[in-house]
Amino acid sequence: MFRLAFLASLLALVIPVIGSLPAYASDPLWVGSRAGKVRSETLLKALRSSSDHGLDPAWYSITEVEKAVAPGADAAAAEALLGAVFVSYASDVSTGRVRANRIDKEISIDQRTVDPAELMKAAREAPDFAVYLASLPPKGDYPALQKALVHWRDKRAEAVFTPLPDGAALKPGMVDARVPLLRKRLTELEFKLPALDADAVADRYDEGLVAVVKSYQATKGLTVDGVIGAKTVRSLNTTIDERIGQIIANLERRRWLPVDLGRRYVFVNTADYSMVFVNDGKVAFQSLVIVGTAKDPTPEISSVMRGFQTNPFWTVPQSIAGEEYLPLLRRDPSALTAGGFRIFASWSEDIELDPNTVDWSSVHPKAFPFRIRQDSGAANALGYIFFPFSNKYGIYMHDTASRWLFTEGSRNFSHGCIRLQNPLDFVEAVYGGKGNFSKERVRQVIDAGQQAHYTFPEPVTLHVTYRTVAADAEGTATFRDDVYGRDRLVVKAMKKG
């Protein structure tokens, strides 16, 4: 029933498209000629190997397509079916199988779409249809991710999985029954372990094993401390099927992005806690970033950055004011004063209130009526520099007063905003010697406590992404753990279509 409904929906899509093509295009594209036979066989071959892209041949009714290209098949039905399946596959492999903004409210990107009529026209006019089909998937790191998918699928056939039990944090020097299991699990993950001395205690978490764990933590973006806590246990217990799912999700996620990311663009990878600024095809700046927690994840966003501001105020979001600051105010109405916070009567008025005059016990956390604003300065949550950009979440990039957090491996500490490690160096790279920009003069403005607005010489495209897998040219994959759980959502949505 599902397959019949699928075919019906595809035919409903493509038949109007065929009718809208120019008169010459009414000639059969897939049947009735040698060229059509080559196209249909080439398409069938691509469908059979669609799993190389993390897709499933069954999604394209492969059995019906095989029947349609067989001798004696109904030509009109075959023509309609092959056109429908081609449009579906070409769309999936070039711009993504799912509409990203529909599967997660924390995704708001400018995903490309394809015009079925344009796809059919291009298929007809392509001098070599096989070359045309091969040109549809993204370039860049996409082929490397495909190699990684092949590698991990091969590993699955011979995989051994020894889960590490939950328990209290396992710290260096401790003796624990889980240590032999830890050794076995790391070996399964292809980490080379030092041999145990003849007089060694098998259950001791010794220095040699700690060093291997630290190496593992570094490869996963975890805090490199050698402590086997809850995050490291979850990471170690990730199965091969889950890793394969991550690769498939990242292939799909790459298809969502533009073919050309822009001449000047910022690429923030929240899963890797990293950011790069690319100018004319070259990395001009890169930095560590701090992003949102699992509870307050940083969204995936397409936007544009146009400038920055020094010494910003921070207006506390209503949710943070009600959930985090209201309990403090109930205990001590002056609790926020030392941090440079001011409280105003409403979001539309600049009438400042004395916090000691408010009955905080009567304020509901879900309907916090006041506006809390933090003055600029050393303690300001936004630091000294603020980069606004348009988005529906109220998310922005900024400096931070808590710079020590950049020493952590898992840097998901914010309420969703992106904290940048070296914002002035980033600004200097964006200006690139233009606009009479001087980092020293901006520092003087900051030191003087002045609020100033600066406009970049050219706008910078912004891509805030969530890429949990990277791969080198040989297909060797580096994974980041799916902290936000989005990879699982993507894979599930792809299966639904």
Side-chain angles (χ1 to χ4, degrees), residues 241-259:
D241 281 339
E242 288 171 323
R243 292 301 187 200
I244 290 172
Q246 284 189 266
I247 299 172
I248 290 172
N250 279 267
L251 284 165
E252 174 74 358
R253 199 172 275 119
R254 180 60 187 88
R255 292 189 287 262
W256 296 344
L257 293 176
V259 173

Side-chain angles (χ1 to χ4, degrees), residues 126-141:
D128 188 321
F129 183 63
V131 171
Y132 168 68
L133 276 184
S135 74
L136 291 175
K139 305 301 183 285
D141 64 341

Side-chain angles (χ1 to χ4, degrees), residues 265-491:
Y265 67 88
V266 165
F267 193 96
V268 176
N269 183 3
T270 58
D272 190 41
Y273 315 109
S274 66
M275 169 269 215
V276 296
F277 167 55
V278 176
N279 188 28
D280 285 330
K282 297 180 180 178
V283 175
F285 174 83
Q286 53 190 331
S287 174
L288 307 177
V289 295
I290 292 169
V291 299
T293 64
K295 177 178 177 292
D296 297 301
T298 299
E300 294 173 61
I301 298 171
S302 300
S303 192
V304 177
M305 303 177 72
R306 303 184 185 278
F308 69 99
Q309 177 190 336
T310 60
N311 292 309
F313 294 136
W314 179 44
T315 300
V316 180
Q318 193 173 29
S319 59
I320 298 177
E323 293 177 12
E324 299 183 19
Y325 289 175
L326 180 57
L328 298 177
L329 292 166
R330 284 175 173 171
R331 289 195 294 268
D332 178 9
S334 300
L336 302 180
T337 304
F341 290 92
R342 300 175 185 271
I343 299 174
F344 297 88
S346 72
W347 285 77
S348 59
E349 298 176 290
D350 285 333
I351 302 174
E352 188 172 352
L353 301 177
D354 179 347
N356 292 289
T357 65
V358 178
D359 179 10
W360 295 108
S361 64
S362 66
V363 177
H364 196 284
K366 298 295 185 182
F368 195 88
F370 309 111
R371 174 165 53 98
I372 301 178
R373 190 192 75 189
Q374 187 180 30
D375 290 338
S376 57
N380 188 280
L382 304 185
Y384 293 110
I385 298 181
F386 162 71
F387 301 92
F389 51 84
S390 176
N391 67 93
K392 67 181 184 180
Y393 305 100
I395 296 298
Y396 34 80
M397 188 183 297
H398 60 85
D399 186 17
T400 177
S402 303
R403 291 181 178 82
W404 63 271
L405 290 174
F406 287 106
T407 62
E408 295 290 327
S410 301
R411 293 183 294 277
N412 50 332
F413 302 114
S414 80
H415 288 92
C417 287
I418 302 160
R419 305 178 193 173
L420 187 60
Q421 187 176 25
N422 299 300
L424 265 182
D425 293 338
F426 166 56
V427 170
E428 186 175 48
V430 170
Y431 274 85
K434 298 179 181 178
N436 197 29
F437 174 79
S438 167
K439 188 163 63 173
E440 288 67 31
R441 283 200 296 271
V442 175
R443 281 203 182 98
Q444 291 172 3
V445 170
I446 290 172
D447 292 342
Q450 298 175 354
Q451 288 189 332
H453 296 266
Y454 297 80
T455 301
F456 294 152
E458 299 176 60
V460 176
T461 303
L462 174 65
H463 306 283
V464 182
T465 65
Y466 183 71
R467 302 289 299 277
T468 57
V469 185
D472 62 19
E474 285 71 41
T476 302
T478 302
F479 294 90
R480 292 293 182 258
D481 293 323
D482 185 15
V483 176
Y484 294 165
R486 288 185 190 154
D487 288 345
R488 294 187 291 275
L489 283 179
V490 171
V491 172

Side-chain angles (χ1 to χ4, degrees), residues 104-116:
D104 190 337
K105 63 182 179 62
E106 302 296 343
I107 301 178
S108 180
I109 62 174
D110 297 331
Q111 185 179 358
R112 294 181 298 128
T113 58
V114 291
D115 181 346

